[in-house]
Amino acid sequence: MEVIELAIPALVFFLMFIIGASLEKRDVNEVKAQNKKILFLTLGQVLLLPLCAWIIIKLMHPPTLVAGGMLLVSLCPGGAVSNIYSFLAKANVALSVTLTAFNGLVAVFILPIVVVTVFPALLTVDLALENLMVKQALQLVLLLLCPVVLGMTLRYWKPILIKKMMPTFEKIGGIGLLLLLMTILAQFQQKIAEQLSSLVLLALVFTLAAIFIAYCLGRILKLCQSDLAAVVIEFPVRNLALAALIAVNIFENSDYLLFAAVFFVIQTPIMLAITAWYRSQLSMNK
């Protein structure tokens, strides 16, 4: 468990660095040009995904720790893996990167507040742990903010080098996330097996619900197909490394990791199928 506790903060730092380093001037210009659209889609993730998770919890009554794991995943910002899916789908990668980065920046300030307010209210958290969470939530701000600022700074000073290194960074981040989740699956396989049906069903329902929400918002905004593909891919994919960090370092309860690990396994083939479908559709329309 000590290896996981050390690896998770390092991985989160690196993934948040990638988000900061992925921001280009054109992304900032896109936010300015489409600020209402970006804000609408960001609020959709911040508000509707946790609401969706809460409704699923109320309807399906999963075990408390499983429910907490799903709520935690729903509160985390989008994962950088969605940018890779969007690239493979030939979707609007710039929009995908912008949404991931903007949602990540919002999470820097929103997530610690949610951690110390929503979870003690919805889950059983004793006072000692609640006080600890307040202190560590401040550390969470630094862990999220510092790498983003570092990535943005390096992108500004060394744009050619960083742009050249980004594909390598993304591959390393993706492999790191995969290894982390596979380690969690291996270490907690007995606990996962005990609640497998509940975990699989919740992961499937939440993934499909997130895709449906994204599709509806995209239709409301009358997005073109490449933009819609990026949004549909963005919403279900969450920053699971950040969820793992909060579970282990703040809640100090590794059982919250169970949903994140199963969620990744269930979601991956669904997202690859969606990626392949959009790729075929967008290729046909060109």
Side-chain angles (χ1 to χ4, degrees):
M1 190 64 190
E2 291 182 1
V3 176
I4 294 180
E5 290 178 357
L6 292 174
I8 290 173
L11 181 58
V12 170
F13 188 97
F14 185 67
L15 292 176
M16 295 305 291
F17 166 81
I18 290 175
I19 289 176
S22 66
L23 281 172
E24 298 182 74
K25 187 176 181 180
R26 68 175 184 181
D27 298 321
V28 177
N29 292 336
E30 183 163 351
V31 172
K32 291 179 180 178
Q34 306 183 65
N35 55 354
K36 291 182 180 178
K37 180 200 298 184
I38 301 297
L39 180 60
F40 185 74
L41 292 171
T42 299
L43 288 177
Q45 294 181 70
V46 172
L47 300 176
L48 296 182
L49 292 183
L51 176 61
C52 175
W54 181 78
I55 291 172
I56 293 171
I57 289 168
K58 288 297 181 182
L59 291 175
M60 301 181 68
H61 305 288
T64 301
L65 289 174
V66 175
M70 183 169 70
L71 187 61
L72 177 58
V73 167
S74 73
L75 288 165
C76 286
V81 178
S82 63
N83 306 152
I84 299 174
Y85 286 143
S86 287
F87 173 76
L88 294 174
K90 296 186 177 180
N92 187 338
V93 179
L95 177 60
S96 176
V97 170
T98 301
L99 287 173
T100 301
F102 195 60
N103 196 209
L105 290 174
V106 171
V108 169
F109 304 100
I110 297 296
L111 192 55
I113 297 172
V114 174
V115 164
V116 299
T117 55
V118 174
F119 271 85
L122 297 181
L123 302 174
T124 303
V125 182
D126 59 39
L127 186 60
L129 178 56
E130 189 174 343
N131 290 336
L132 179 65
M133 283 163 55
V134 173
K135 295 177 183 178
Q136 292 193 323
L138 297 176
Q139 298 175 14
L140 183 61
V141 171
L142 295 177
L143 188 60
L144 296 179
L145 185 61
C146 289
V148 170
V149 172
L150 176 61
M152 293 173 67
T153 303
L154 289 177
R155 182 80 187 212
Y156 178 79
W157 288 108
K158 299 288 183 179
I160 297 175
L161 175 63
I162 294 297
K163 188 172 183 178
K164 183 179 179 181
M165 293 297 296
M166 279 304 295
T168 303
F169 288 156
E170 290 177 348
K171 288 177 183 177
I172 293 172
I175 292 171
L177 178 60
L178 178 61
L179 290 175
L180 171 64
L181 293 170
M182 291 301 102
T183 302
I184 293 169
L185 282 171
Q187 186 162 341
F188 301 103
Q189 57 182 316
Q190 184 174 348
K191 289 184 178 180
I192 291 174
E194 292 171 357
Q195 305 181 64
L196 185 61
S197 59
S198 174
L199 287 166
V200 169
L201 183 59
L202 285 170
L204 181 61
V205 170
F206 180 71
T207 298
L208 296 177
I211 291 170
F212 178 73
I213 290 170
Y215 182 82
C216 291
L217 293 180
R219 286 303 182 190
I220 290 172
L221 292 172
K222 298 180 180 179
L223 300 179
C224 66
Q225 194 165 21
S226 62
D227 287 0
L228 180 61
V231 172
V232 167
I233 290 170
E234 177 76 20
F235 269 58
V237 181
R238 302 290 89 197
N239 190 331
L240 300 182
L242 181 54
L245 173 72
I246 296 171
V248 173
N249 292 56
I250 294 183
F251 290 143
E252 297 184 347
N253 192 334
S254 57
D255 287 345
Y256 285 115
L257 297 175
L258 304 184
F259 177 82
V262 174
F263 178 69
F264 176 79
V265 173
I266 296 299
Q267 184 185 85
T268 299
I270 296 174
M271 298 311 300
L272 288 174
I274 290 174
T275 297
W277 186 82
Y278 268 116
R279 183 184 179 89
S280 65
Q281 293 296 308
L282 292 169
S283 297
M284 287 170 56
N285 292 337
K286 287 184 178 180

